Each structure stands twice: as C-alpha cells, then as structure tokens.
C-alpha cells in the first residue's frame, strides 16, 4: 500500500498543492483520474468552507491511500462539528432531488457519483471515500 | 486567459485548462455584465477544458437560468471524455444544449 498524508491550514495552502495531488492520482490511476481529482477537491472545498467555521486554527487533514492497483481510499477530516447532510445515507434521494437546477451544493453530488462508497464518521467531520478502478465492482 | 468575443449577437467563450472556483468567480464577473447589456445567447467551447468543479458548474447554471429568463440559451460545445462524463453524472447533459 502507498499512502500520503497532507495537512492544510487554509484553502490557499491546499491550492498550492492541488496540482501535485492531481499528478499523484494521474500517476496511480492514469485512466479516470480527472473525475477522482474533481471529487477529492470537492471534499476539500467542503471541509474548508463548512468544517472550520468555528475554529481559530483551521486544519484539514487529507490521507490518500492506494490500497492496490484497483482500490483507492481517501479520507478528509476537518475540525468542525459536522452537518446533517453528511450524516444522511439517502444518496439516491439527493441525486434525484431538485439539486439538478441548484447553483450550489453540487459538490456532494459529484463526490457521491464519482466514488463507489462514501462513509462519514459519527460526528460528520470526516469523510472516507472509496474508489474501485477497473476491477470487480468498479463504477 | 479564456477568450470571450461577440459574434452575430452571441457571446462566445472558449474555456481551456482547469476551471477552479477562482476562475468561476472571474467568469461570473466578466460575463454577467453581458446579460445586463441585453445579451441572452452564450456559446461555451469546452474542447480544451480538462477540469471543472461544482463552482464552475454553478456558474454555468446561473448564466443558463438568467439567459433562459431573457428568452435566450446557453450552448455548450466540445465536451468530451471525463468532462462529458462529469456532466452526465450530474445530469447536466439533459439541461444544457450540447453540440
């Protein structure tokens, strides 16, 4: 397994490393890396925008793990209190809801459509996203 | 810098590279004045665009809604590969006029 962990104190800091994360995903998974990169960035955007509102010292931790050539696991954690939507398990309802015309809130939709499985911790401030690529059960 | 020009009353925009949130804000600031000036037809060429996130998509929806209210439309051309797939996954291929 290959794994990296990155810690960011603000969005600008992440923007500095954003291309490197994209290049890493491209190196690991040459096919389909773009959609994964977009979905990962959506998770980071959510963490910075919603997760650190109450924190004087914001911190977002991202762990990217290439389990094997077909399985990628990405965890994004912030210091926030979580929010109710993160705890919702009703994926289909959100995809079919009136989000289609909504100008915002589409990041979660992208994450859910790109990744095969998404889990939230009990608090709602850590998301674990699993992507199966090219193997059995892949989207 | 993305290219914007007026051709036969249509605002034509060529998007290239990666459209992150900051670029989406820039596009909003540069294109919304055309709505105010009476333009209601927008043509986006995305042939050379290889990344767009939810903020960019939000911008496209915003301009689509406003153009539609003014009796116009947003046309998107050149979507391919992963970019087309993203629009499919988020059910935008039904919403926008694609050529």
């Amino acid at each position: 397994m290959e794994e990296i962990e990155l810690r960011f104190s603000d969005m600008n800091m992440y923007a500095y490393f954003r291309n490197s994360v994209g290049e890493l995903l491209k190196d690991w998974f040459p096919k389909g890396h773009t959609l994964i990169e977009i979905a990962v960035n959506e998770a980071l955007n959510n963490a910075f925008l919603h997760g650190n509102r109450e924190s004087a010292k914001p911190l977002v931790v991202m762990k990217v793990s290439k389990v094997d050539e077909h399985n990628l696991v990405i965890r994004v954690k912030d210091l926030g209190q979580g929010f109710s939507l993160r705890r919702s398990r009703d994926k289909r309802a959100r995809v079919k809801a009136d989000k289609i015309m909504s100008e915002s809130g589409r990041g979660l939709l992208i994450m859910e459509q790109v990744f095969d499985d998404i889990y939230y911790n009990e608090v709602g401030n850590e998301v674990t996203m699993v992507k199966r690529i090219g193997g059995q059960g892949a989207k | 810098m993305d290219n914007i020009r007026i051709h036969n009353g249509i605002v034509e925009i060529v998007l290239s590279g990666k459209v992150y949130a900051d670029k989406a804000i820039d596009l909003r600031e540069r294109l919304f004045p055309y709505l105010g000036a009476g333009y209601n037809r927008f043509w986006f060429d995305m042939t050379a665009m290889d990344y767009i996130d939810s903020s960019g998509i939000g911008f496209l929806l915003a301009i689509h809604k406003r153009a539609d209210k003014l009796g116009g439309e947003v046309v998107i051309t050149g979507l391919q590969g992963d970019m087309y797939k993203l629009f499919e996954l988020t059910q935008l291929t039904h919403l926008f006029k694609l050529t």
Side-chain angles (χ1 to χ4, degrees), chain A residues 18-19 32-35 37-38 41-42 45 95-96 100-103 106-107 109-110 113-114 139, chain B residues 18 20 28 50-54 57-58 61-62 64-66 82-83 85-86 89-92 95:
Chain A
R18 195 166 46 194
N19 284 341
H33 64 90
T34 302
L35 293 178
E37 183 185 349
I38 292 170
N41 287 339
E42 297 294 350
N45 286 340
V95 173
K96 288 182 178 177
I100 302 307
M101 280 299 287
S102 171
E103 293 170 28
R106 196 171 291 268
L109 178 62
I110 292 173
Q113 290 294 295
V114 170
K139 271 185 180 176
Chain B
K18 295 179 184 293
Y20 289 119
R28 185 182 285 259
D50 56 20
Y51 182 106
I52 189 167
D53 63 16
S54 61
I57 290 171
L61 284 164
H64 165 76
K65 282 184 193 172
R66 287 156 181 77
D82 283 339
M83 292 299 93
K85 195 169 181 184
L86 178 69
L89 288 175
T90 50
Q91 300 181 26
L92 293 174
L95 194 62

Side-chain angles (χ1 to χ4, degrees), chain B residues 2-3 7 9-10 19-20 22 24 31-33 37-38 40-41 44 51 64 71 73 79 81-82 85 87 92 98:
Chain B
D2 297 299
N3 187 28
H7 182 66
I10 300 171
V19 179
Y20 289 119
D22 50 351
L31 287 176
F32 270 34
N40 62 2
R41 299 173 71 195
F44 287 88
Y51 182 106
H64 165 76
E73 64 178 357
L79 263 187
D82 283 339
K85 195 169 181 184
F87 274 60
L92 293 174
L98 305 180

